[in-house]
Amino acid sequence: MAGDAQGTDAAADGAAQQPDGAGAPRADRRSWVRRHGPETLIGAVAVTIVGAVVSSVLGVLLPGEDDGKAAAVPSASPASPASPACEGETCRGLDPKESRCDDARTLAEGEAGVMRVEVRHSKECKAVWGKLTGARPGDPVTVSTSPADRQRAEVATGRTKYTPMLPVGDTFDVQVCAVSRAGDPEGGVPKGAEPCAGADQDDLARVVGAG
């Protein structure tokens, strides 16, 4: 009987020390649970699951490169301004408002009451034109770089009008003139008034230097 009891005890001890499928003896796991409580085991499992989820999310949001370096985030480059639609001779006769001569400067002004003319110049487009404001429908405005080289426009509606462009080089001499055909007594513009303005490369240097 004693031999049977010893055999039974030995078998029991061997069964207690047999590892289960998780790689830890059942007796050790039962004693760990008794010491730390089931809540601790549940908490450990929860932390493991949360850690795995966070790692997966960070792996999607912050992908790394194969060499272990952080992936560079491309910086947005500022949009470059549109290039002018013409230059020099190719600007002849074009509308300055549609030609993207965005660097244009006013070199000279002339006025009669509220009626005003301006000499406009674009270095990028290598062109000049006239601008008329405070006008009335039917009033003409002309820009010229010589007696034979000129462009003319007439106010159709509103009170502002631009002439078509003329090409110019590094040296130039330009005149812009307008005529008030009907006059504007309320604006101090007599009938037949002819405000004019003239400019050349020296005026351009002065305006650029002042800017």
Side-chain angles (χ1 to χ4, degrees):
M1 295 295 293
D4 293 342
Q6 289 177 356
T8 303
D9 292 341
D13 290 341
Q17 293 176 358
Q18 276 295 326
D20 61 10
R26 294 191 182 94
D28 289 348
R29 289 207 313 279
R30 286 197 297 269
S31 96
W32 189 93
V33 172
R34 284 197 300 272
R35 288 197 307 272
H36 298 282
E39 295 84 359
T40 303
L41 178 59
I42 295 172
V45 173
V47 168
T48 302
I49 294 175
V50 171
V53 171
V54 171
S55 298
S56 299
V57 171
L58 290 178
V60 172
L61 296 180
L62 300 173
E65 296 180 353
D66 292 340
D67 59 2
K69 297 180 181 179
V73 178
S75 57
S77 57
S80 57
S83 301
C86 64
E87 181 179 332
E89 189 61 39
T90 60
C91 290
R92 181 183 296 274
L94 298 185
D95 185 339
K97 294 179 64 178
E98 299 177 356
S99 299
R100 301 192 297 273
C101 301
D102 298 330
D103 68 324
R105 299 171 181 265
T106 295
L107 304 187
E109 299 176 345
E111 59 185 32
V114 297
M115 192 176 190
R116 176 182 302 231
V117 294
E118 300 176 34
V119 176
R120 300 283 285 168
H121 175 275
S122 168
K123 187 174 182 179
E124 288 187 356
C125 289
K126 295 182 173 59
V128 293
W129 61 93
K131 178 182 178 181
L132 171 62
T133 57
R136 292 294 182 91
D139 291 346
V141 57
T142 303
V143 59
S144 60
T145 54
S146 72
D149 202 359
R150 62 178 56 208
Q151 293 285 344
R152 181 180 181 279
E154 188 172 297
V155 179
T157 59
R159 298 176 67 85
T160 300
K161 190 66 179 180
Y162 294 84
T163 70
M165 293 189 286
L166 285 174
V168 294
D170 293 334
T171 60
F172 57 89
D173 187 357
V174 57
Q175 294 285 325
V176 175
C177 290
V179 178
S180 178
R181 287 181 170 170
D184 182 3
E186 294 181 358
V189 184
K191 182 179 180 179
E194 297 185 16
C196 290
D200 57 22
Q201 66 278 354
D202 295 333
D203 294 291
L204 174 60
R206 172 182 54 79
V207 171
V208 171

